Amino acid sequence: MTMYADIAFPISSYQVFTYRIPYKMRNSVKIGVRVKAPFHKRSVNGVVVGVSDTTDYKRRVRSIDSLVDNELVLDKYLWSLLEWVSDYYLTPLGQVAQTALPAKLSLQYKLPSRIVVSFRKAPDVALTNAPVQERVLRYLQQNKGPVTLSVLKDITLNPSSVCKALLNKGLITWDEQDLLPDVSGLTFSPIHKKVKFTKEQKLVLEELRQGLESKKFIPFLLHGVTSSGKTEIYIDIVRQTLESGRSVILLLPEIALTPQITGRFRAVFGDTVALWHSKLTHATRAWTWKKICAGEFRIVIGARSAIFTPLKNLGLVVVDEEQEHSYKQDSINPRYHARDVALMRGKIHKIPVLLASATPSLESYYNHIQSKFKYLYLAKRYGGAKYPQVSIVDMDQETEESGKTGQILSGFLLDKIEERLQKKEQVILMQNRRGFSPIIRCDDCGVLDMCPDCNVPMAYHRTGPALKCHFCGHCIDKLSANCGSCNSTNIRLVGTGTQKIETIIGETFPNASIVRVDMDTSRNVTALTSAISSFGSGDVDILLGTQMISKGLDFENATLVGIINADTGLFLPDFRSGERLFQLIYQTAGRAGRRKKPGEVVIQTYNYDNPVIKYASRLDLKKYYNIILNERNDLNYPPFSWMAKLELSGRNKNNLQIVAQKIRDNLKNPYTGLEILGPVDCYYERLRNRFRMQIVLKSYKTADSNGRKLHNYIKKNFPDGNYLINSGVKIIIDINPVSLL
């Protein structure tokens, strides 16, 4: 009997394609298996979404070429998750499957290998007629250990043939060894700690233990103040999960956090811990993925894509710093949020999911208020550590008193840095702008140096290309001495980035050692790990960085935190801007005084009385969250509504406006509680040479409790999901967007 398979490919179409299953593959081709099949004029990886002994397709049916994996990788739970992601985020299943099963990863991956040889015995007869063999054998005898063939190239141009001759004579050994990926630069050395749990922590662990034993889906929200020992909670509940024979996924929002927390976990769980994120080399990712599929790793620590890893017998998912917007995939489909996918994976597996943060997202905080999440609270810092003393510096008043305009570091902060350096204590400085200056301005005509492809200013950098666009990556090697508009030489660098702070600190404290951590210095994870490790070991006095250093990191001797410009992002026209800035200030302040030495935080601001700054400086989360919950309720923004963003883009602005208005005119309002806003220009009106507009849909939870009305409405009006209209206008549908910029 002929068998057929329906295959979904990673294309922006919901269409599936039918292929004949070769007889020899009949027992191997199942739903969820990856195969190679002819698609147009090439062979493409696809995933099997259906198997049948009949087909309605009347034309010639082509056959599957081969299997990508020699066994089923997606179990029924993970396959159900992918189907949910496809439905919820309106993305073809083939594209979703590619997220979970990257095209270049396969169970058939083989590690690269190398040949090593070593001395075995001396010859019975001297090798006088083979002087090169004699020299190689003498070298191996003196070396007293195996060496690679490449080492012998100093003796002979063809070490392989020489060594094969010696092997045939029985004088040496010859071995082929797998080249295991070197992960030493991706994690700290194992970090051992003696932990004695507090009464508060024991109560939290007891709740989590009961959740594990229930074998039910239970969403927990662990709200623990900074330095309350959340990592120790993770380690203990993970240990209990492993003891029950199950595995764990731990999600982290920033790659900067992975080296330190992986070091802690490896100290306890050894080589059962896998690291998973985009900065790994292809060889490391391929090897790690194959080991995960084989069940050799029982803990996966990684960024958002780790939620799709095919761990065997999953028993717990932990989402650390669950409020972070970096959990949202916003560049390609599916535009999923890893926190929400984690909750659904827990529901499918019927296991607990632990969301944790010192500053929970407003949605999770509200779900706790509504008793949808089981709330766990750690109110005290661990080990007797005290909250840091927080001081706010009014930079307007500082300017008035000092008579110096454009002052970047206040006298108060500089004094505090000097004081800490004299005490041999460490300092963390956070400035959430990279580069040297974010704006280049002509003071005569007022024109800014703008990216030719984006409607945003180019940022000036002291190292590498002088001008960079932080959105599309466009670079200009040198800064022109003349204005491109009026030819004036009166060019001024405006604003402050981490490079400028580094220069000022270096000139002010020439004897202090500084390390900078931002996207420019941390392009590869090895450099990032080295920078953070050097600060953690005490070799560096001052750690300077962007928001990458604001959370999760734990340094015993860091007693002063300086937030250079707390206003960055404060007035962005986005409903989450205040919440996001509050969380950033609160988290950054939490890096100070995490042990017995008292900590201090200095916040510099030009908006001294702003509620975000005021309540963040007081570390008063409950008061501020109550304020913004009331604001969101009045305006029917999340968490009081479901939201979707229709982002439209095109190269012709007039055409884009016409199409956007036509789409809006065709959107009828089928039920009370649906609000349609726009179309309006996006805040970043043009990016990557495409103009952008948006239409926002809000569905009030009072009329749409589970969000299905909004989903059905979008599916009805946009049956093909995200697609390209004939006019050249592209539509992206973003469910639960984290930003409206």
Side-chain angles (χ1 to χ4, degrees):
M1 181 188 297
T2 303
M3 298 292 292
Y4 301 92
D6 291 331
I7 300 175
F9 293 99
I11 57 176
S12 57
S13 169
Y14 285 86
Q15 186 178 1
V16 297
F17 302 84
T18 302
Y19 290 82
R20 181 181 286 106
I21 301 174
Y23 183 80
K24 63 181 180 180
M25 298 183 192
R26 290 180 63 178
N27 295 327
S28 302
V29 175
K30 302 174 184 176
I31 292 176
V33 165
R34 284 189 301 175
V35 296
K36 269 190 179 296
F39 188 74
H40 295 303
K41 295 182 179 181
R42 56 198 180 100
S43 187
V44 180
N45 282 6
V47 62
V48 177
V49 299
V51 176
S52 174
D53 57 4
T54 62
T55 179
D56 295 330
Y57 190 67
K58 302 303 181 185
R59 298 183 182 180
R60 183 175 70 91
V61 179
R62 294 191 285 180
S63 294
I64 294 171
D65 289 337
S66 61
L67 296 169
V68 175
D69 301 306
N70 48 18
E71 62 183 75
L72 182 65
V73 174
L74 299 174
D75 59 22
K76 63 179 182 179
Y77 304 108
L78 195 48
W79 182 249
S80 295
L81 181 70
L82 299 190
E83 290 183 313
W84 176 84
V85 170
S86 174
D87 176 70
Y88 190 78
Y89 292 103
L90 307 176
T91 303
L93 188 55
Q95 288 187 330
V96 175
Q98 188 179 36
T99 299
L101 302 168
K104 295 182 179 180
L105 303 186
S106 167
L107 292 180
Q108 300 182 40
Y109 171 79
K110 291 185 178 180
L111 286 168
S113 60
R114 64 178 182 179
I115 303 299
V116 295
V117 294
S118 58
F119 178 80
R120 183 181 176 192
K121 68 175 185 177
D124 296 331
V125 180
L127 301 173
T128 53
N129 295 328
V132 177
Q133 292 181 27
E134 185 179 21
R135 287 200 299 272
V136 168
L137 187 64
R138 189 184 307 117
Y139 176 87
L140 294 177
Q141 184 176 13
Q142 293 172 350
N143 192 71
K144 295 182 180 179
V147 300
T148 62
L149 289 181
S150 59
V151 172
L152 301 175
K153 286 187 176 180
D154 291 337
I155 302 174
T156 173
L157 295 177
N158 195 352
S160 178
S161 62
V162 173
C163 287
K164 283 180 179 178
L166 291 171
L167 178 67
N168 290 334
K169 295 175 181 177
L171 303 180
I172 65 170
T173 61
W174 174 293
D175 293 304
E176 185 174 353
Q177 295 180 346
D178 287 338
L179 278 174
L180 295 177
D182 181 10
V183 296
S184 59
L186 309 179
T187 177
F188 286 3
S189 299
I191 303 169
H192 299 274
K193 286 186 179 180
K194 290 185 178 180
V195 178
K196 184 177 181 181
F197 289 116
T198 64
K199 182 179 180 180
E200 195 177 47
Q201 289 174 317
K202 288 178 181 177
L203 291 173
V204 166
L205 283 168
E206 178 59 24
E207 291 276 6
L208 291 173
R209 183 191 63 78
Q210 292 179 15
L212 276 180
E213 292 181 351
S214 72
K215 297 185 179 179
K216 295 178 181 178
F217 168 58
I218 303 176
F220 288 97
L221 175 61
L222 174 57
H223 178 194
V225 301
T226 55
S227 194
S228 57
K230 292 187 290 296
T231 301
E232 310 309 326
I233 295 290
Y234 303 160
I235 288 173
D236 197 75
I237 198 62
V238 166
R239 177 186 56 76
Q240 294 184 46
T241 306
L242 297 188
E243 288 175 352
S244 69
R246 291 174 287 176
S247 58
V248 179
I249 294 174
L250 170 59
L251 298 182
L252 301 173
E254 296 276 2
I255 293 172
L257 304 181
T258 55
Q260 194 169 55
I261 201 165
T262 304
R264 287 287 296 114
F265 268 69
R266 284 190 168 165
V268 179
F269 303 110
D271 292 335
T272 64
V273 181
L275 197 57
W276 187 260
H277 53 67
S278 61
K279 296 286 188 179
L280 301 176
T281 65
H282 169 66
T284 302
R285 283 171 63 86
W287 175 79
T288 302
W289 193 79
K290 186 175 180 179
K291 292 278 190 180
I292 291 171
C293 293
E296 295 183 37
F297 286 123
R298 300 182 64 196
I299 303 169
V300 172
I301 299 176
R304 59 175 177 256
S305 63
I307 192 56
F308 296 110
T309 50
L311 271 174
K312 308 293 184 184
N313 199 17
L314 187 64
L316 175 69
V317 179
V318 180
V319 185
D320 189 34
E321 306 294 356
E322 61 85 25
Q323 82 286 352
E324 279 299 311
H325 66 273
S326 56
Y327 281 126
K328 174 75 171 179
Q329 166 68 276
D330 58 6
S331 57
I332 58 174
N333 286 335
R335 285 171 165 76
Y336 68 94
H337 198 300
R339 177 194 63 218
D340 298 337
V341 176
L343 289 167
M344 180 51 63
R345 188 163 188 185
K347 188 173 183 179
I348 291 170
H349 282 267
K350 297 181 180 178
I351 60 173
V353 176
L354 176 59
L355 311 181
S357 177
T359 55
S361 64
L362 209 61
E363 284 83 353
S364 295
Y365 190 78
Y366 182 71
N367 279 331
H368 131 61
I369 293 173
Q370 296 294 304
S371 300
K372 293 182 178 180
F373 289 175
K374 195 170 184 64
Y375 185 67
L376 308 172
Y377 187 45
L378 294 173
K380 299 176 182 178
R381 285 190 148 195
Y382 180 76
K386 305 296 182 183
Y387 277 112
Q389 177 185 336
V390 182
S391 303
I392 303 181
V393 177
D394 185 341
M395 294 302 287
D396 283 329
Q397 184 178 340
E398 177 83 11
T399 300
E400 186 178 324
E401 291 177 353
S402 66
K404 299 177 182 178
T405 58
Q407 193 167 355
I408 296 171
L409 298 176
S410 64
F412 183 78
L413 178 56
L414 290 172
D415 288 344
K416 292 295 180 181
I417 294 173
E418 176 69 31
E419 181 182 310
R420 287 315 193 279
L421 293 176
Q422 289 180 355
K423 290 182 177 180
K424 304 297 182 183
E425 295 173 359
Q426 293 172 294
V427 178
I428 296 175
L429 299 176
M430 197 275 289
Q431 170 69 1
N432 204 21
R433 283 286 183 272
R434 62 188 174 104
F436 191 87
S437 292
I439 294 174
I440 302 98
R441 181 181 185 273
C442 173
D443 276 350
D444 285 339
C445 70
V447 169
L448 309 180
D449 265 6
M450 305 292 284
C451 172
D453 296 324
C454 305
N455 191 30
V456 295
M458 299 283 279
Y460 173 68
H461 288 244
R462 276 278 181 91
T463 57
L467 303 184
K468 294 180 183 178
C469 173
H470 290 167
F471 286 87
C472 72
H474 179 79
C475 294
I476 299 175
D477 289 337
K478 292 184 179 180
L479 175 64
S480 175
N482 300 88
C483 171
S485 179
C486 69
N487 206 38
S488 168
T489 58
N490 195 10
I491 305 296
R492 184 158 58 96
L493 300 176
V494 181
T496 303
T498 49
Q499 288 184 3
K500 183 185 285 188
I501 300 295
E502 183 179 30
T503 300
I504 294 171
I505 292 294
E507 292 171 350
T508 309
F509 304 102
N511 296 324
S513 53
I514 308 167
V515 66
R516 174 165 57 88
V517 173
D518 55 30
M519 286 295 291
D520 297 317
T521 63
S522 306
R523 291 290 178 185
N524 65 74
V525 71
T526 303
L528 175 63
T529 303
S530 176
I532 295 174
S533 179
S534 63
F535 186 77
S537 63
D539 296 333
V540 171
D541 300 312
I542 300 173
L543 174 65
L544 164 66
T546 56
Q547 64 179 6
M548 294 174 71
I549 64 169
S550 66
K551 64 193 75 70
L553 300 176
D554 185 6
F555 303 112
E556 181 174 358
N557 198 38
T559 57
L560 175 66
V561 165
I563 300 175
I564 308 299
N565 185 356
D567 308 327
T568 302
L570 182 60
F571 298 110
L572 288 173
D574 184 79
F575 73 100
R576 296 187 195 273
S577 60
E579 174 192 0
R580 195 169 288 171
L581 182 59
F582 176 91
Q583 292 165 344
L584 179 61
I585 295 173
Y586 189 109
Q587 292 274 4
T588 307
R591 301 312 104 205
R594 297 173 67 89
R595 295 292 189 277
K596 295 180 180 180
K597 295 179 182 178
E600 190 168 359
V601 179
V602 178
I603 301 173
Q604 297 187 162
T605 177
Y606 288 93
N607 295 275
Y608 187 84
D609 294 322
N610 188 281
V612 176
I613 306 297
K614 181 168 64 175
Y615 290 112
S617 67
R618 296 175 185 174
L619 305 178
D620 193 343
L621 181 142
K622 187 174 182 179
K623 179 70 174 178
Y624 180 69
Y625 275 29
N626 286 338
I627 291 173
I628 53 176
L629 277 173
N630 288 329
E631 290 177 354
R632 299 270 186 93
N633 191 21
D634 291 341
L635 297 171
N636 273 307
Y637 273 98
F640 299 97
S641 66
W642 304 102
M643 182 179 287
K645 179 176 69 172
L646 310 180
E647 183 182 304
L648 301 92
S649 66
R651 297 189 184 279
N652 184 295
K653 185 174 182 179
N654 290 333
N655 187 50
L656 173 63
Q657 292 173 334
I658 292 170
V659 172
Q661 190 58 53
K662 184 178 180 180
I663 290 174
R664 175 63 184 90
D665 293 340
N666 289 333
L667 289 174
K668 308 304 179 184
N669 202 325
Y671 63 92
T672 302
L674 176 65
E675 186 177 356
I676 305 176
L677 307 176
V680 296
D681 292 331
C682 295
Y683 177 72
Y684 298 114
E685 182 186 7
R686 183 164 60 97
L687 292 178
R688 299 172 182 86
N689 207 23
R690 296 184 70 89
F691 292 95
R692 303 163 67 239
M693 299 187 74
Q694 62 184 2
I695 298 172
V696 175
L697 308 176
K698 291 194 297 180
S699 186
Y700 304 162
K701 288 187 177 179
T702 52
D704 187 12
S705 60
N706 59 8
R708 292 312 307 175
K709 286 184 178 180
L710 178 60
H711 257 76
N712 292 336
Y713 178 75
I714 294 173
K715 288 179 181 178
K716 181 180 178 181
N717 284 275
F718 302 93
D720 295 323
N722 309 349
Y723 62 96
L724 188 68
I725 301 178
N726 292 334
S727 61
V729 174
K730 184 179 180 181
I731 296 182
I732 293 172
I733 301 174
D734 190 358
I735 303 297
N736 301 335
V738 296
S739 171
L740 296 180
L741 298 177

